[in-house]
Amino acid sequence: EPEVTQTPSHQVTQMGQEVILRCVPISNHLYFYWYRQILGQKVEFLVSFYNNEISEKSEIFDDQFSVERPDGSNFTLKIRSTKLEDSAMYFCASTFGGTGSQETQYFGPGTRLLVL
Amino acid sequence: GDSVTQMEGPVTLSEEAFLTINCTYTATGYPSLFWYVQYPGEGLQLLLKATKADDKGSNKGFEATYRKETTSFHLEKGSVQVSDSAVYFCALRAGNNRKLIWGLGTSLGVNP
């Protein structure tokens, strides 16, 4: 069964450093998402991406964040200058984008980011 | 704004006990409702969904009915197993908006 994959599974970085989180969505999916979950808090939507551009972003997704689909398979989240409060589990998701069963978002296993 | 409220955990049950995890929502229009499950060390997996009022989603013995009148989508299972130990998340997708809005998650532990 097709699945969303994410790398790395864990990332430790120093405050102020740039990190890139990578995702490979399911191959025929058209919509891509990033969510994050700070320990003990709700899963939060960050951004959605369709047709090579951001379709929606949350207030969290400020100028420190960017997303890119550099080729036909990868979808990346870049944090330019990490802060302590960026420590969280980051989930990538994808969906075909239709209605009914096609709207289901499939999630990757997550990348746990720790900023020291 | 749109929101999801789940009962707080952790919930601990004995094997074969009945499970209910409450979920209520606030949303404009008619959202689609989802339950996701996260097993230890794994990602978020869709457990079941319902897209309109009175729909019942079901999977792996779990059920949830979309109740518009009470704005609820409670998760139930008649007889839990140790392998059901996981964190369960209620979520909604409102109208044409594609993002998911999540509850806090409820941790379930099942003892043999």
Side-chain angles (χ1 to χ4, degrees):
Chain A
E1 184 174 324
E3 59 182 17
V4 177
T5 59
Q6 288 184 244
T7 54
S9 57
H10 294 79
Q11 173 101 41
V12 180
T13 189
Q14 295 291 323
M15 191 168 56
Q17 294 296 304
E18 174 184 286
V19 295
I20 297 176
L21 309 183
R22 302 181 192 280
C23 169
V24 179
I26 293 173
S27 63
N28 65 339
H29 282 186
L30 302 176
Y31 290 81
F32 314 114
Y33 307 83
W34 284 101
Y35 293 83
R36 78 173 185 190
Q37 185 182 27
I38 296 172
L39 193 64
Q41 298 185 23
K42 290 185 177 185
V43 176
E44 302 171 291
F45 167 78
L46 293 178
V47 66
S48 59
F49 192 85
Y50 170 72
N51 199 25
N52 283 320
E53 61 183 26
I54 291 173
S55 49
E56 186 179 1
K57 61 182 180 179
S58 71
E59 291 176 356
I60 302 165
F61 194 88
D62 61 21
D63 292 344
Q64 293 297 317
F65 292 89
S66 62
V67 289
E68 192 179 28
R69 188 153 163 82
D71 52 43
S73 59
N74 289 285
F75 178 53
T76 61
L77 174 69
K78 182 193 290 186
I79 309 174
R80 260 181 271 282
S81 177
T82 50
K83 306 184 186 72
L84 296 176
E85 54 265 35
D86 293 327
S87 295
M89 178 74 91
Y90 288 80
F91 292 105
C92 173
S94 70
T95 179
F96 184 77
T99 57
S101 61
Q102 294 177 332
E103 72 175 2
T104 299
Q105 292 186 21
Y106 292 86
F107 284 79
T111 294
R112 185 168 295 284
L113 175 65
L114 178 60
V115 182
L116 301 176
Chain B
D2 301 332
S3 66
V4 175
T5 302
Q6 265 181 259
M7 66 183 277
E8 291 190 21
V11 173
T12 304
L13 297 173
S14 298
E15 206 165 23
E16 299 183 3
F18 184 85
L19 168 71
T20 300
I21 300 178
N22 290 336
C23 171
T24 57
Y25 67 88
T26 302
T28 52
Y30 302 97
S32 295
L33 301 172
F34 306 83
W35 278 100
Y36 279 81
V37 59
Q38 185 177 31
Y39 297 103
E42 299 185 17
L44 297 160
Q45 302 175 26
L46 179 68
L47 181 60
L48 54 84
K49 62 184 273 190
T51 57
K52 60 183 188 296
D54 300 324
D55 268 2
K56 178 186 283 188
S58 61
N59 186 25
K60 299 182 182 180
F62 291 89
E63 293 183 340
T65 301
Y66 187 145
R67 300 281 187 207
K68 183 169 175 293
E69 63 277 12
T70 54
T71 61
S72 65
F73 192 55
H74 304 322
L75 182 69
E76 296 182 336
K77 186 174 186 182
S79 175
V80 293
Q81 306 300 311
V82 172
S83 56
D84 294 327
S85 298
V87 181
Y88 292 82
F89 294 89
C90 186
L92 71 81
R93 182 184 155 226
N96 292 326
N97 202 321
R98 292 194 176 274
K99 68 183 179 190
L100 291 173
I101 295 169
W102 299 81
L104 192 54
T106 303
S107 176
L108 169 67
V110 180
N111 296 320

